[in-house]
Amino acid sequence: MSEQSRTLPPEALDAWADALRERFDLAPEELPVALILDLARDVALGVARPAAPFSAFAAGLVAGRAGGSPEDIAAAVAVITAMANEWEV
């Protein structure tokens, strides 16, 4: 697979998000693409690129344990983003 074929245009990302929502019966607010992408960016820049995927997973896990509401998702993302912004090696 070439690097170019692994880069999604916005409409393809939207289609992927829609497929995930349909498959797992998720509402749009339960899969906030922009929020998760911002989290990944902040962690990648503040900590390291490899930290982004598992930080997003951790946000989902934490949000799920808290109840899984859109507010729980936003709270978990906010905490992890703050940690990444304050991270010093």
Side-chain angles (χ1 to χ4, degrees):
M1 178 178 281
S2 73
E3 185 64 34
Q4 185 176 12
S5 67
R6 292 175 19 176
T7 302
L8 291 176
E11 60 276 3
L13 181 57
D14 291 341
W16 176 244
D18 289 343
L20 290 172
R21 288 182 185 112
E22 183 177 327
R23 172 64 175 87
F24 297 107
D25 193 28
L26 299 170
E29 62 273 8
E30 293 175 308
L31 187 63
V33 174
L35 183 68
I36 300 304
L37 291 177
D38 288 348
L39 169 67
R41 177 202 59 219
D42 293 343
V43 170
L45 295 175
V47 181
R49 284 185 71 190
F54 72 84
S55 296
F57 178 84
L61 185 60
V62 169
R65 287 182 175 176
S69 72
E71 294 78 19
D72 296 327
I73 296 166
V77 167
V79 169
I80 293 172
T81 298
M83 289 176 64
N85 289 336
E86 296 169 1
W87 189 255
E88 293 183 27
V89 179

